[in-house]
Amino acid sequence: ILALIAPIASAFAPATVFTSSRVSTELDAVIQFVRGLDEKDVPDVKLTRARDGSSGVATFQFSNPNCFDASTAAAGEVTGMFMIDEEGEISTTSVNARFANGKPQAIESTYVMTSSSEWDRFMRFMERYGEANGLGFSAA
């Protein structure tokens, strides 16, 4: 019976991790792909949400991320996308790089929210990140 339950349980495990390992001191909110290295490229962010508010998806498009720069290569490897603010950290491992001529050019990352509380937490992060980076919200 355990062999049948384990695959099902892992399929429903959350893809995101919430911790409070760092409190931002310089900016209200930052995004990192390599821990300790703030991403300077400001992304295009597209949001979708279920009509009943039970789930949502945020898709981030970074056109020229600095985590691929030669000067930052020694900082470490891309292990996920970490959204860090005064409340803690939200993260996702759904990170894909786009390559041109064998070199990484862009990153697309997806953050899936499975509850209204995760949506609210994400929106608070985006409010802070938007203020720190001059982003605005426009409804489709």
Side-chain angles (χ1 to χ4, degrees), residues 1-20:
I1 294 176
L2 268 180
L4 295 174
I5 295 173
I8 293 170
S10 65
F12 293 102
T16 57
V17 178
F18 296 91
T19 64
S20 58

Side-chain angles (χ1 to χ4, degrees), residues 16-67:
T16 57
V17 178
F18 296 91
T19 64
S20 58
S21 62
R22 175 183 169 206
V23 176
S24 179
T25 55
E26 293 177 11
L27 295 174
D28 290 339
V30 296
I31 293 177
Q32 297 178 347
F33 290 106
V34 177
R35 291 207 181 267
L37 177 65
D38 294 349
E39 182 55 54
K40 299 196 181 344
D41 186 32
V42 179
D44 260 348
V45 183
K46 293 185 172 87
L47 293 171
T48 58
R49 188 175 189 188
R51 290 186 189 271
D52 65 359
S54 62
S55 63
V57 176
T59 304
F60 293 77
Q61 296 278 340
F62 294 84
S63 59
N64 192 19
N66 65 289
C67 64

Side-chain angles (χ1 to χ4, degrees), residues 10-11 50 56 58-59 69 75 78 88 96 98 103-104 127:
S10 65
T59 304
D69 292 347
V78 173
N96 296 299
R98 189 176 39 202
K103 295 183 181 182
E127 231 175 81

Side-chain angles (χ1 to χ4, degrees), residues 68-90:
F68 294 142
D69 292 347
S71 62
T72 61
E77 294 182 9
V78 173
T79 56
M81 183 176 77
F82 309 99
M83 298 169 274
I84 304 166
D85 65 6
E86 62 196 36
E87 290 184 52
E89 178 182 290
I90 308 168

